[in-house]
Amino acid sequence: MIELQQISLQRGSTELLLETSLRIHPGEKVALIGANGSGKSSLFALLLGELQSDAGSVSIPQQWRVAHMAQEVAALDRAAIEFVLDGDTVLRRIEAELADCDDDLRLAELHAAYEEHDGYTARARAEQLLAGLGFAQSQMGDPVSAFSGGWRIRLNLARTLIQPSDLLLLDEPTNHLDLDASLWLEQWLRNYQGTLVLISHDRDFIDGLCDQVVSIEQQQLRKYRGNYSAFERQRAERLAQQQAAYASQQRDIAHMQSFVDRFRAKATKARQAQSRIKALERMELIAPAHVDSPFHFKFPAPQRSGDPLLTLQQAALGYAGSPLLTDIGLTLHPDSRIGLLGHNGAGKSTLLKTLAGTLPLLSGERVGHEHLRIGYFSQHQLEALDLNASPFLHLQRLSPNAREQEVRDYLGSFDFRGDRALEPVGLRSGGEQARLALAIVTWQKPNLLLLDEPTNHLDLEMCHALTVALQEYAGAVVVVSHDRHLLRSTVDNLLLVHDGCVEPWEGDLDEYARWLLKSARDPSVQPPKAAQHDRRGERQQAAARRAQLAPLRKQLQGIERDLAKAQSALGKIETRLTDAGLYDAEQRDTLQQLLQDQGRARHSVDQLEEQWLTLTGQLEDLQKQA
């Protein structure tokens, strides 16, 4: 087993671990979690022998073979499949000896070793790994240099998985994977016979795979039995008993409960919407587990909107005159919340680029409302960051007239606090750069968010904060993500991009995962067909319904904005009332005034909530009649 005894580890002036111990038993599948900079990657380096602890001891069985996924790969001329096979260094050594050996006795020994090492199946296993990670058969002979950075990371992953190992260390393996490849990898790792230690921000991936969670908390390694959901429950129960965190916990729980209740009141009977309600209810229960998160942000509400926001009509999408998707009809409304599903290469990112207006149509029409404001997040946004500029300067360039404190407060909610807001972006990690790119996209108050794998590089706490912020976001959302928890919690409808078409997916994400696994075994398996509808008649009915509902929706949006302001004002008053100094005798008048203000603010919130519920009921009645 792996045993760490009284380990202390310091990097520079930062104490990462302090006299902490940990045992990992053979065959355990362990998720290593913690905030960015808490020491996860340093702990991996410690297990690999690349770092020495400042105190304590690390023990790993000497005979264990350790495989570790590298994060970078050079632009080599070596064929992709050969690069993957190079990961099995023992097999390559046997092959090299076979090629040079002219001694019959030694040749016989080498052939026996080759067979014992499964050399005759190695190429087939490498092809299977590459196919599972999204590579086409025709790409396997291409040089490594022909692939982009994200695809080279996939090659590194395949190269790691092909190595025979007793201990497998994987650092964010689902980064740069789509949902298909992520599901395939989860299934592959379930069958892995050795000990797995995994760093990941993908909670559903951890839930489906890991039986232990090790959390780095306050320089200690704390081990929890079970998957990530079990960890959240256990940590929530423990934190709920700590008086210092109690008030903050209760605010978070009340806020989430309010949101759950309000969303339930206006949710449809769609399976995705019901799935989202369940996800919200679950998040309410585990809210205390995230009470010490450094991320507490909201996406600014759009200033103006329109209905429909954006429409594609008889559109052909693709590149250089070669259509990838044809005859696409898609309408986005202010309350649209859509998740895009589909195999790698089916056209999900192409559809997002077309919606964003960065990729022109090959034919058809793209019609945007005059008030359409798009916030588009993709890996390109990270590449477009000015590495010499600070987070503060990035926002200041967008809004030169914005107040300094307003910019600093906004950046602080993304954990760019104090001097960190003024340091060059080039000094920050990939996760911090991704946070900044998200902050920049949403700072501009879009009414349509287009998100292409927004959780890549983010840690679990940031993913949780992003999920909560998207739940409350007042605009439309279209998202591509391998993060199933994010999809379950934030979208109401799923669209399948498949075989040149974009069609509604009537099932849920679990049914989609089952179809993916079936189609991986048998490519002829087609997705279940959605029921046929009179599309033209439906569009006409929908247009008439929108015209009837539009005034109520506009009024409802106004009430929601007023309610948010009133709740914010009440929250500030109640925060002031937690100041113990207010209850001194000399502060009696101030306290009395605050209590009166609290009463008025509560009355205002109650009135607005009553108006909100009344209007929501009227909307539902009209929708039922339609």
Side-chain angles (χ1 to χ4, degrees):
M1 69 181 169
I2 300 171
E3 187 157 16
L4 282 65
Q5 293 186 329
Q6 294 299 299
I7 288 292
S8 292
L9 184 62
Q10 186 167 327
R11 299 300 300 271
S13 60
T14 304
E15 193 90 57
L16 298 175
L17 301 175
L18 183 61
E19 297 180 357
T20 185
S21 300
L22 174 68
R23 282 183 180 176
I24 298 175
H25 297 279
E28 285 185 342
K29 291 181 168 62
V30 179
L32 177 61
I33 67 172
N36 281 339
S38 63
K40 300 187 296 295
S41 296
S42 296
L43 185 57
F44 266 27
L46 196 66
L47 295 174
L48 289 165
E50 297 171 354
L51 273 182
Q52 297 298 315
S53 62
D54 297 295
S57 62
V58 179
S59 173
I60 299 177
Q62 287 188 349
Q63 73 275 18
W64 274 19
R65 300 161 296 175
V66 181
H68 174 237
M69 176 182 154
Q71 293 299 310
E72 301 291 339
V73 57
L76 306 173
D77 291 330
R78 194 141 176 80
I81 193 165
E82 299 300 332
F83 173 80
V84 170
L85 286 165
D86 289 344
D88 191 340
T89 54
V90 174
L91 182 63
R92 285 307 203 197
R93 179 179 55 76
I94 296 171
E95 289 176 339
E97 281 195 62
L98 276 169
D100 295 336
C101 184
D102 54 9
D103 179 273
D104 289 344
L105 181 59
R106 181 58 181 154
L107 267 176
E109 291 174 346
L110 287 170
H111 277 294
Y114 188 75
E115 183 174 4
E116 185 179 354
H117 204 74
D118 293 326
Y120 294 107
T121 64
R123 186 164 293 269
R125 286 186 285 114
E127 289 179 353
Q128 185 181 41
L129 286 170
L130 288 169
L133 293 173
F135 291 87
Q137 187 72 35
S138 60
Q139 294 177 297
M140 295 181 188
D142 292 348
V144 173
S145 57
F147 296 97
S148 67
W151 285 92
R152 290 182 200 168
I153 295 295
R154 295 191 190 207
L155 288 175
N156 262 347
L157 179 55
R159 181 185 173 105
T160 304
L161 298 181
I162 206 167
Q163 299 177 44
S165 62
D166 303 291
L167 172 61
L168 180 58
L169 304 176
L170 295 180
D171 189 347
E172 296 289 4
T174 60
N175 269 3
H176 304 289
L177 297 188
D178 54 18
L179 182 54
D180 303 37
S182 181
L183 288 165
W184 176 88
L185 177 62
E186 181 184 316
Q187 187 179 49
W188 192 96
L189 289 173
R190 276 196 204 126
N191 297 321
Y192 176 66
Q193 297 300 305
T195 303
L196 171 68
V197 183
L198 166 80
I199 298 172
S200 178
H201 64 263
D202 187 334
R203 53 184 297 150
D204 270 34
F205 188 76
I206 296 174
D207 267 357
L209 186 59
C210 295
D211 49 24
Q212 306 284 332
V213 170
V214 173
S215 175
I216 302 179
E217 302 172 12
Q218 298 174 330
Q219 302 167 318
Q220 296 293 301
L221 296 170
R222 188 181 291 271
K223 194 173 184 182
Y224 296 82
R225 186 183 301 276
N227 58 16
Y228 187 78
S229 294
F231 152 77
E232 281 186 312
R233 288 193 296 271
Q234 293 172 57
R235 187 162 192 261
E237 289 167 5
R238 183 169 61 82
L239 287 178
Q241 297 168 6
Q242 296 178 5
Q243 187 63 31
Y246 182 77
S248 180
Q249 288 172 26
Q250 295 309 301
R251 283 196 299 272
D252 279 359
I253 292 173
H255 177 73
M256 187 62 72
Q257 178 65 58
S258 170
F259 189 77
V260 170
D261 292 343
R262 291 167 63 187
F263 182 78
R264 183 191 285 111
K266 62 177 181 177
T268 69
K269 297 299 182 183
R271 233 183 299 192
Q272 291 86 9
Q274 294 302 308
S275 176
R276 186 171 168 217
I277 289 173
K278 290 176 184 176
L280 286 167
E281 290 171 337
R282 183 178 173 281
M283 289 186 72
E284 173 208 342
L285 296 176
I286 55 85
H290 303 274
V291 71
D292 54 355
S293 171
F295 314 113
H296 296 282
F297 58 87
K298 292 184 178 181
F299 295 150
Q303 292 178 327
R304 306 181 75 178
S305 193
D307 195 7
L309 277 174
L310 182 62
T311 303
L312 297 181
Q313 297 174 347
Q314 297 180 318
L317 287 58
Y319 304 85
S322 177
L324 184 59
L325 302 172
T326 56
D327 196 25
I328 303 304
L330 179 61
T331 301
L332 300 179
H333 304 290
D335 57 354
S336 293
R337 308 187 72 87
I338 295 170
L340 298 182
L341 307 177
H343 286 297
N344 175 61
K348 302 185 295 294
S349 293
T350 300
L351 177 55
L352 276 190
K353 290 176 184 176
T354 304
L355 291 171
T358 62
L359 181 66
L361 292 176
L362 300 179
S363 64
E365 282 189 299
R366 175 185 178 276
V367 181
H369 193 277
E370 62 176 322
H371 297 314
L372 174 66
R373 287 178 64 89
I374 292 175
Y376 176 40
F377 177 89
S378 70
Q379 296 310 301
H380 172 72
Q381 270 62 42
L382 274 70
E383 297 163 8
L385 293 174
D386 180 351
L387 299 184
N388 295 315
S390 67
F392 182 85
L393 184 54
H394 275 86
L395 293 193
Q396 194 176 50
R397 286 171 177 170
L398 292 171
S399 306
N401 297 323
R403 292 183 298 107
E404 178 180 346
Q405 193 58 50
E406 181 185 6
V407 176
R408 279 184 168 275
D409 288 346
Y410 186 73
L411 288 171
S413 68
F414 286 84
D415 201 28
F416 294 106
R417 294 182 171 86
D419 291 342
R420 299 179 71 186
L422 305 176
E423 295 171 350
V425 172
L427 300 177
R428 307 261 61 94
S429 68
E432 289 170 304
Q433 291 180 14
R435 291 208 312 265
L436 175 59
L438 270 170
I440 290 170
V441 166
T442 55
W443 169 258
Q444 300 170 77
K445 300 183 179 179
N447 48 31
L448 170 59
L449 274 179
L450 304 174
L451 305 176
D452 196 348
E453 294 293 355
T455 62
N456 275 354
H457 306 292
L458 303 182
D459 65 18
L460 278 159
E461 288 297 349
M462 179 60 187
C463 288
H464 177 81
L466 173 62
T467 301
V468 173
L470 283 174
Q471 287 168 351
E472 299 182 303
Y473 172 61
V477 178
V478 182
V479 60
V480 173
S481 180
H482 68 267
D483 188 324
R484 284 161 283 169
H485 176 75
L486 181 80
L487 290 174
R488 281 193 182 97
S489 301
T490 60
V491 306
D492 299 334
N493 295 287
L494 299 170
L495 296 180
L496 179 65
V497 183
H498 177 74
D499 200 21
C501 300
V502 178
E503 297 178 335
W505 176 266
E506 303 290 359
D508 58 20
L509 283 170
D510 293 332
E511 289 169 293
Y512 176 68
R514 288 193 287 272
W515 171 68
L516 280 179
L517 294 174
K518 285 181 185 176
S519 62
R521 293 191 295 268
D522 181 2
S524 65
V525 174
Q526 292 296 306
K529 288 289 184 185
Q532 295 297 313
H533 302 288
D534 175 7
R535 300 294 183 192
R536 184 176 179 182
E538 283 184 351
R539 285 196 296 269
Q540 290 174 341
Q541 290 177 12
R545 189 158 57 246
R546 286 195 300 274
Q548 188 179 16
L549 299 178
L552 279 177
R553 280 185 173 146
K554 187 174 181 180
Q555 189 178 352
L556 190 62
Q557 288 170 358
I559 289 175
E560 286 176 341
R561 284 194 296 270
D562 293 343
L563 181 58
K565 291 177 184 176
Q567 287 173 329
S568 175
L570 178 60
K572 289 176 181 177
I573 293 169
E574 291 181 338
T575 299
R576 289 190 64 189
L577 285 169
T578 62
D579 181 1
L582 271 175
Y583 298 88
D584 294 341
E586 61 269 22
Q587 294 289 328
R588 182 180 301 168
D589 292 344
T590 302
L591 175 62
Q592 200 65 32
Q593 183 62 51
L594 278 173
L595 290 171
Q596 291 174 8
D597 291 344
Q598 181 189 38
R600 284 192 291 268
R602 277 183 176 167
H603 180 68
S604 177
V605 167
D606 290 343
Q607 278 191 321
L608 287 166
E609 284 184 342
E610 186 65 35
Q611 292 175 35
W612 186 92
L613 287 169
T614 301
L615 275 176
T616 301
Q618 291 175 9
L619 271 171
E620 286 186 342
D621 290 343
L622 286 172
Q623 287 169 335
K624 288 175 184 176
Q625 297 168 15

